[in-house]
């Protein structure tokens, strides 16, 4: 007999269901342990996350040169003193460190960074991965794998063991965004006959490159981050490679194409990885791609808050588009709440509400705890609206809906 959920128990039922549902995290910068030092973890990595580096310069009396000359532990000490001791850690990035340490059982009342370092010094990475996946209730994560990265590439070319919890995504920014400076030369260096004017031979060699790496990585999708001025169609190497290479290969191998649009790279280069910005994009590029390629599958997340509503409307027009996540500068409680409501109201359950974008393994803990809190709150309101109209909801139906949002929609989208 199906258990009908009353208003009195709705909130606790939704919270318990969202909390217990294992999540598939579809975009991260994590690496399985066989990638060695590329997998970042531990309290000094947490505190020197590039989001916190951007924030420390707003309050500390330190020059860029002085900061970048520091060792990581010195950088962490400065950030800890500035953003956690001299100021309350209320920003989402700071709050994330506090949540993570608490969920790992550490005493936050002490504010004793030395003792936190001692805890991590006793961890072995393989066991710590199990702890984090368990505490965060994460089933698997999708990595960001860049065949152009000199650190990463050799590991793929060796016979790596891999870990099924760490799935791959083929990241192709250099091919699409820097073909002339980076993509073309590197591809020639890898043994692909590519030229700057993208001859027929070149396009066929780029398709071979993509096929080779799809065979090697077995990626869940191919991904690129794009600037707000991205246009499609576009009379450029990017436009040509997308049309002649990415789209046909994506269709041939049933590997969706993920477009992450709205990042303005290096608006402040002094901040290095923390120096990127955001701007509203013209989404006609998406409408053109989707309408011209109805058989292709696309994943999209956008960086500008101002683009989110029109993205939902585009999602209503094109079923071959799966909208996902609250990316980067969108991943703050006030904005996650706003766009999750908007998405449920315009798309129902046919979307992927969140990804973590975690760069440090431990971050899975806070990014998912914070997101689950908001997803639960929004779902309770939406279910309550239905109960108020006399609609009945069962526990199984809530479980079904939450499983879809936290992984099922992604798996189904990949398989169809
Ligand atoms: O391009 C991306 O995938 C972004 O997520 C960048 O890596 C960015 O630096 C980031 O980590 N955002 O959360
Ligand atoms: Zn990312």
């Amino acid at each position: 007999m199906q258990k009908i959920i009353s208003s009195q128990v709705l909130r606790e039922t939704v919270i318990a269901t969202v909390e217990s549902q294992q999540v598939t995290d579809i975009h991260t910068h994590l690496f399985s342990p066989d990638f060695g030092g590329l997998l970042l973890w531990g309290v000094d990595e947490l505190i020197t996350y590039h989001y916190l580096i951007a924030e420390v310069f707003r309050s500390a009396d330190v020059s860029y040169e002085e900061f970048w000359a520091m060792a990581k532990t010195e950088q962490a000490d400065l950030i800890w003193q500035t953003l956690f001791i001299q100021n309350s850690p209320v920003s989402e990035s700071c709050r994330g460190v506090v949540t993570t340490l608490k969920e790992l059982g550490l005493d936050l009342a002490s504010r004793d960074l030395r003792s936190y370092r001692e805890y991590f010094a006793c961890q072995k990475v393989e066991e710590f991965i199990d702890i984090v996946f368990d505490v965060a209730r994460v089933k698997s994560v999708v990595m960001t794998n860049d065949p152009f990265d000199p650190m990463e590439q050799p590991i793929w070319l060796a016979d790596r063991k891999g870990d099924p919890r760490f799935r791959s995504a083929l990241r192709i920014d250099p091919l699409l965004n820097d073909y002339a400076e980076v993509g073309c030369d590197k591809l020639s260096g890898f043994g692909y006959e590519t030229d700057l004017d993208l001859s027929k031979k070149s396009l066929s060699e780029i398709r071979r490159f993509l096929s080779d790496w799809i065979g090697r990585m077995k990626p869940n999708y191919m991904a690129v981050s794009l600037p707000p001025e991205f246009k499609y169609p576009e009379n450029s190497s990017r436009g040509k490679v997308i049309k002649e290479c990415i789209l046909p290969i994506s269709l041939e191998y049933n590997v969706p194409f993920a477009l992450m649009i709205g990042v303005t790279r290096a608006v402040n280069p002094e901040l290095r990885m923390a120096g990127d910005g955001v701007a509203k994009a013209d989404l006609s590029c998406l409408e053109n791609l989707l309408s011209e390629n109805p058989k292709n599958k696309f994943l999209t997340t956008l960086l500008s808050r101002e683009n989110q509503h029109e993205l939902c409307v585009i999602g209503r027009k094109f079923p071959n588009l799966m909208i996902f996540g609250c990316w980067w500068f969108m991943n703050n409680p006030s904005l996650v709440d706003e766009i999750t409501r908007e998405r449920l109201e315009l798309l129902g359950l046919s979307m992927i509400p969140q990804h973590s974008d975690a760069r440090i393994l431990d971050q899975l803990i806070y990014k998912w705890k914070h997101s689950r809190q908001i997803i639960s709150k929004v779902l309770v309101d939406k279910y309550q609206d239905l109960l108020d109209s006399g609609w009945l909801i069962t526990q199984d139906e809530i479980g079904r809906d939450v499983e879809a949002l936290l992984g099922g929609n992604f798996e189904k989208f990949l398989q169809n």
Side-chain angles (χ1 to χ4, degrees), residues 117-403:
R117 283 172 169 148
E118 281 165 9
Y119 164 83
F120 285 96
C122 304
Q123 303 301 324
K124 284 192 178 42
V125 66
E126 287 73 11
E127 285 136 32
F128 190 62
I129 290 173
D130 294 345
I131 291 170
V132 171
F133 273 62
D134 180 45
V135 169
R137 277 181 308 295
V138 166
K139 186 191 299 180
S140 63
V141 299
V142 182
M143 302 183 280
T144 296
N145 301 115
D146 178 355
F148 295 92
D149 180 322
M151 300 274 286
E152 190 180 344
Q153 201 212 53
I155 299 167
W156 283 104
L157 297 178
D159 187 17
R160 59 181 286 270
K161 194 163 109 359
D163 176 330
R165 293 170 298 180
F166 293 79
R167 301 157 64 162
S168 74
L170 172 54
R171 186 68 178 255
I172 49 176
D173 288 35
L175 174 63
L176 293 185
N177 296 332
D178 301 314
Y179 181 71
E181 292 73 48
V182 174
C184 187
D185 278 354
K186 285 212 169 183
L187 284 172
S188 307
F190 298 159
Y192 299 93
E193 285 177 60
T194 46
D195 49 42
L196 281 177
D197 52 25
L198 283 171
S199 60
K200 273 200 177 338
K201 172 69 179 167
S202 218
L203 294 171
S204 140
E205 284 290 87
I206 291 170
R207 287 191 293 269
R208 184 167 71 88
F209 162 78
L210 293 170
S211 310
D212 290 349
W213 279 93
I214 287 172
R216 188 169 287 127
M217 283 183 179
K218 311 260 182 312
N220 287 175
Y221 54 81
M222 290 186 279
V224 65
S225 68
L226 292 162
E229 63 272 13
F230 169 62
K231 296 260 177 294
Y232 187 87
E234 183 177 62
N235 182 17
S236 66
S237 60
R238 175 165 60 203
K240 202 167 179 184
V241 172
I242 289 175
K243 183 172 172 53
E244 303 297 338
C245 306
I246 308 301
L247 293 173
I249 290 295
S250 173
L251 199 54
E252 182 183 345
Y253 290 90
N254 188 27
V255 173
F257 181 28
L259 299 102
M260 306 168 70
I261 311 172
V263 51
T264 46
R265 293 291 179 190
V267 291
N268 179 355
E270 300 272 16
L271 286 175
R272 298 184 185 178
M273 193 185 286
D276 299 326
V278 58
K280 185 176 185 304
D282 168 359
L283 297 188
S284 58
C285 58
L286 259 187
E287 289 170 337
N288 295 335
L289 272 166
L290 289 158
S291 56
E292 289 170 21
N293 305 279
K295 291 197 171 48
N296 279 69
K297 294 190 288 190
F298 298 87
L299 286 152
T300 290
T301 195
L302 301 180
L303 196 49
S304 165
R305 179 191 186 194
E306 287 66 27
N307 275 139
Q308 301 302 329
H309 179 255
E310 51 192 311
L311 176 60
C312 289
V313 174
I314 293 173
R316 290 171 61 87
K317 306 304 139 197
F318 298 102
N320 55 328
L321 171 65
M322 180 59 78
I323 290 164
F324 76 94
C326 304
W327 183 28
W328 201 344
F329 305 117
M330 290 301 303
N331 197 3
N332 298 303
S334 57
L335 297 178
V336 173
D337 186 282
E338 175 185 283
I339 69 171
T340 302
R341 281 178 200 280
E342 192 173 76
R343 286 170 174 173
L344 281 171
E345 288 158 6
L346 281 161
L347 300 167
L349 295 160
S350 65
M351 52 90 181
I352 298 167
Q354 188 60 295
H355 67 275
S356 72
D357 225 329
R359 277 184 174 277
I360 295 116
L361 177 69
D362 328 26
Q363 290 179 331
L364 290 175
I365 294 173
Y366 90 83
K367 286 182 182 254
W368 282 108
K369 185 163 183 67
H370 295 178
S371 297
R372 289 178 202 260
Q373 285 166 345
I374 298 163
I375 292 168
S376 295
K377 204 156 59 135
V378 175
L379 280 176
V380 167
D381 289 352
K382 294 306 168 190
Y383 286 132
Q384 188 58 59
D385 289 345
L386 291 172
L387 295 188
D388 291 350
S389 314
W391 187 265
L392 297 181
I393 289 175
T394 67
Q395 174 136 16
D396 287 357
E397 287 170 333
I398 294 174
R400 172 203 64 195
D401 298 347
V402 168
E403 192 281 331

Side-chain angles (χ1 to χ4, degrees), residues 35-193:
F35 284 95
L38 287 174
L39 169 62
L40 304 178
W41 62 286
V43 69
D44 285 295
E45 293 295 352
L46 273 178
I47 296 174
T48 57
Y49 181 36
H50 70 75
Y51 290 30
L52 289 150
I53 290 176
E55 292 174 30
V56 75
F57 280 106
R58 299 186 52 72
S59 306
D61 178 16
V62 64
S63 71
Y64 295 125
E65 294 71 27
E66 288 162 344
F67 182 83
W68 295 120
M70 289 178 188
K72 189 171 285 283
T73 47
E74 292 170 315
Q75 291 174 350
D77 288 338
L78 175 68
I79 292 171
W80 183 256
Q81 280 309 318
T82 308
L83 298 182
F84 292 78
I85 305 301
Q86 291 155 17
N87 295 276
S88 298
V90 292
S91 78
E92 183 59 9
S93 316
C94 289
R95 175 195 170 212
V97 175
V98 175
T99 299
T100 301
L101 297 176
K102 174 193 175 286
E103 294 300 309
L104 287 169
L106 297 171
D107 170 18
L108 276 299
S110 76
R111 301 185 184 183
D112 179 4
L113 183 51
R114 190 182 38 75
S115 69
Y116 307 151
R117 283 172 169 148
E118 281 165 9
Y119 164 83
F120 285 96
C122 304
Q123 303 301 324
K124 284 192 178 42
V125 66
E126 287 73 11
E127 285 136 32
F128 190 62
I129 290 173
D130 294 345
I131 291 170
V132 171
F133 273 62
D134 180 45
V135 169
R137 277 181 308 295
V138 166
K139 186 191 299 180
S140 63
V141 299
V142 182
M143 302 183 280
T144 296
N145 301 115
D146 178 355
F148 295 92
D149 180 322
M151 300 274 286
E152 190 180 344
Q153 201 212 53
I155 299 167
W156 283 104
L157 297 178
D159 187 17
R160 59 181 286 270
K161 194 163 109 359
D163 176 330
R165 293 170 298 180
F166 293 79
R167 301 157 64 162
S168 74
L170 172 54
R171 186 68 178 255
I172 49 176
D173 288 35
L175 174 63
L176 293 185
N177 296 332
D178 301 314
Y179 181 71
E181 292 73 48
V182 174
C184 187
D185 278 354
K186 285 212 169 183
L187 284 172
S188 307
F190 298 159
Y192 299 93
E193 285 177 60

